[in-house]
Amino acid sequence: MNKAPICIAMAAVATAAAAFSAHTESANEETYRVITGKGVIEVIPLSNDIFRVCELTSLEAPTPAATQAAAMNMHSTAKTSIHTWANADRFTVETPTTKVEVDKKTGKVSFFDQDGNLLLSEADGVRVDGDEQTLTFLTPEGDNFYGTGERGHSLTLNGTEMVMWNRANYGYTDGDERLNQANINMPYLVSDNGFGLLIDDYAKARLTLGQDTILYRTVSQKPLSYYFINGGDGTLAGATFSFTELTGKQPLPPFWTMGYITSKYGYHNQNEAYGAIDSLKQRDYPVDGMVLDLYWYGVETDMGRLEWDKKQWPDHKKMLDDLNAQGIHVVPIHQPYINKTGAMDNYTLLESKGLLTKDADGNTKDVTTWVGDAGMFDIANPDTREWMWNRMKPLTAEGLSGWWGDLGEPEVHPLEIVHANGETAEEFHNVYGNEWSKMIYDGLRKDFPQMRPMLMMRGGTTGLQRYAVFPWTSDVSRSWGGLQAQNKLMLNSGLSGLGYMSNDVGGFAVDSQKPYDPELYVRWIQAGTFSPILRTHAQDRPEPYHYPAQEAIIKKFIRMRYEWLPYNYTLAYENSAYGMPLMRTLNFHGDNEDKDKYADISDEYLWGEEVLVAPVMTPGAKSRKVVFPAGTWIDWNNPAKTFQGGTTATVAAPLNTLPLFVKAGSFIPLYPKKIENTSEYDPTLLTVKYFPRKEWSNYQLFDDDRMSPTSLEDGEYQLTTFSGSKQGNEIYINIDSEGSYKGMPEVRMITLEIVGVANPKGVELDGNRLEKMVSPKAIRQYGYSYDAAKRTLTVVLAYSNTKTSIKVF
């Protein structure tokens, strides 16, 4: 095999230039080409933190094309001060955060932080090994690595080999070796020393992490590329921000996805769908969404019909209208396959148009799925994408709120297939889900421009988040082991750009020996309350009303999901604006003194920056140990108890309790009103809990019209900053807002609950003393009250979006 040109990308740069004989420059592009003993190495700075590097055959050779992984403009102008210099041994590019050195003799590239510490270096660069290309790196000892997409065999990935080939794992549990190869694979690693490495490839590959080595082996024959991504501040948070700058941010989610969604394999007909919603409502559960599995188009062997079954759903349009009127959003399933039994009409039509997958000789290549022989949509063919969307568009227009793409690894993908773009199954497999998602996302944005897209997809690779994808961790076992695997899968996905990775709450794959476990269901609901999407789904009895003896507990937590809407929606903003995952590892923000102590903890996690969640994941437990990261932590369930970062404590956890902690200094915005779904959300009402500390702290609350898909791009949103400090016996709180949006309330009734304080002498609002009332309910617009039993001061004010100051003395 002839060695192909190699293109390599890295993170960090700026604008200026130093003269160098192999340096080329244009008005909107800087490219550095260095003649070495290995060939010509090309370095393209994309930003102050991201570089692309290519190995070329000559100074005149064209730059190899990048894959779809990068959303950032390769000729970005987001560069500041860049400096270059050269001597006889090396060529150096330096920015405010990163130094990149190219060894002129060997052609090897090394990356350093702003203090000169080595972060990563090439070992052998790209080599040819039989039918594979290999790329190797050296790392200093002490890095903990995460990411690579949906990965759950462990949280830290050091010392393991991962197969980059999307695969579904039915009925898996914690510790299952299959979880080192899951549905969404990305050749991306992120280090807790604050940098990431993305191989610009999506072909079948293996990624092996040694003690201080990284080895990547791919079947791709195309020029390899990689990106070095420097977060600039030595943290996972900084690296994640830079990574999503490169690969794209997820758009703001539909607001209804912040609520509770019911799903089942499956609702067989219209009466069952109505019945499930009626049962939830009769038992006073809030609900925002319903996901329909394959029976909406008939039976299993009708896969690929993409048409409502008239016998089972005699008036689906009326049903959609009825559910939408109740604020319930419907999302139906579809798959990459067209069954040759129940969808033969579509199969014949698609085959005649050449829209199905083919073999190397150009003949249609069928597949054998779990429901029989079928054709497969060739999503690489633009005509196939057009046909598919034209089929989905009128269905969407009838009142659907999104689409579920199942089996999208693809689950069955014969290696004999050669796609319309010339790529083999081994080359195209992992990116199939991206192209499928892009087709739906682009169609929704074009033809339904007022809709925020919602795509449930379980296959894809780097950059999948750009297409408003809400992935889930596939067919998890309904078992304690199944629950225990979820945090690792969601945390590594979040560090790979997939901030909305969730799971089938309650467990999908039912064990016939123990199909019903109310304790497990309650604990899973508790964990799901603080996960990106709260959606119950199973083969049997997924809905909460099947657990009447535990109803009070289950309802408490599902309603808690709605109570936390302002906080959770602000997390959604942080994801869209900065790439921050909703669930975060304990070391995500880099503020722990002993970073290794927290590196591999996966049975607890941060929810945003202010909240620590420690779900119970073992049967019969009435308590659990909690390791506390940096900061002082207040027990949400018993605010009189506090815990210091660096300590470990055993906390009470009876079945009705989720161990939950808030960092001192935090402001936690909550929604005080009981609602049946998010359509009843009233932005004029807000409760904010404040947990004072001596040092000043800040929190920024996000709000927009919760409907526009372009509110961030249009600047149509408001940010409200709460800041506070406890100085002796006095507490100071400031509230200020910037920005606005159409329909924004002129006045908001804010109820401030200041937790863990003594009975004050008085409270001033903008210098004016407030009246003390007997209880919060007695306050109409302005005033305060004190609950001695809870040691909580409540201050009520009408906030008119202008700077406001509160003093407690």
Side-chain angles (χ1 to χ4, degrees), residues 477-653:
S477 162
R478 177 181 282 182
S479 65
W480 291 95
L483 173 59
Q484 291 158 9
Q486 297 311 301
N487 287 351
K488 291 187 281 289
L489 288 161
M490 292 187 287
L491 288 168
N492 270 318
S493 296
L495 290 169
S496 305
L498 298 175
Y500 291 94
M501 178 64 78
S502 64
N503 62 91
D504 292 342
V505 171
F508 175 79
V510 175
D511 182 353
S512 60
Q513 301 301 311
K514 193 173 184 180
Y516 188 73
D517 188 338
E519 181 191 4
L520 172 63
Y521 188 86
V522 168
R523 293 304 194 187
W524 214 317
I525 285 284
Q526 290 172 349
T529 299
F530 289 89
S531 68
I533 298 292
L534 175 57
R535 178 185 55 85
T536 54
H537 182 61
Q539 295 170 326
D540 179 48
R541 289 173 284 188
E543 303 90 353
Y545 51 74
H546 291 293
Y547 302 84
Q550 293 76 31
E551 180 174 272
I553 303 173
I554 296 169
K555 194 177 298 179
K556 166 189 170 183
F557 283 96
I558 292 180
R559 288 211 170 274
M560 195 174 184
R561 179 77 175 186
Y562 288 80
E563 183 183 7
W564 281 69
L565 278 170
Y567 184 85
N568 293 349
Y569 194 48
T570 297
L571 292 185
Y573 161 74
E574 292 178 7
N575 178 260
S576 294
Y578 305 109
M580 298 297 101
L582 285 70
M583 289 177 64
R584 304 172 190 177
T585 57
L586 299 192
N587 60 351
F588 184 75
H589 296 284
D591 48 1
N592 299 304
E593 290 186 7
D594 183 356
K595 77 181 185 75
D596 289 333
K597 177 178 180 179
Y598 303 92
D600 206 29
I601 294 176
S602 63
D603 64 345
E604 52 187 281
Y605 56 90
L606 296 175
W607 183 243
E609 191 170 358
E610 295 82 9
V611 180
L612 175 66
V613 186
V616 176
M617 295 185 288
T618 54
K622 299 295 188 295
S623 64
R624 64 152 292 170
K625 287 185 178 181
V626 178
V627 179
F628 292 93
T632 298
W633 297 90
I634 297 102
D635 190 332
W636 180 267
N637 302 300
N638 183 2
K641 292 185 177 181
T642 60
F643 305 89
Q644 296 302 313
T647 66
T648 300
T650 299
V651 301

Side-chain angles (χ1 to χ4, degrees), residues 4 46 98 102 201 213 216 360 455 490 545 684 697 780 801 806:
L46 292 139
T98 312
V102 181
D201 182 36
T213 60
Y216 185 75
L455 282 68
M490 292 187 287
Y545 51 74
T684 65
S697 59
R780 291 189 176 271
N801 302 309
I806 298 165

Side-chain angles (χ1 to χ4, degrees), residues 239-250:
T240 302
F241 170 80
S242 293
F243 173 68
T244 53
E245 284 286 284
L246 174 67
T247 61
K249 305 287 197 296
Q250 177 128 355

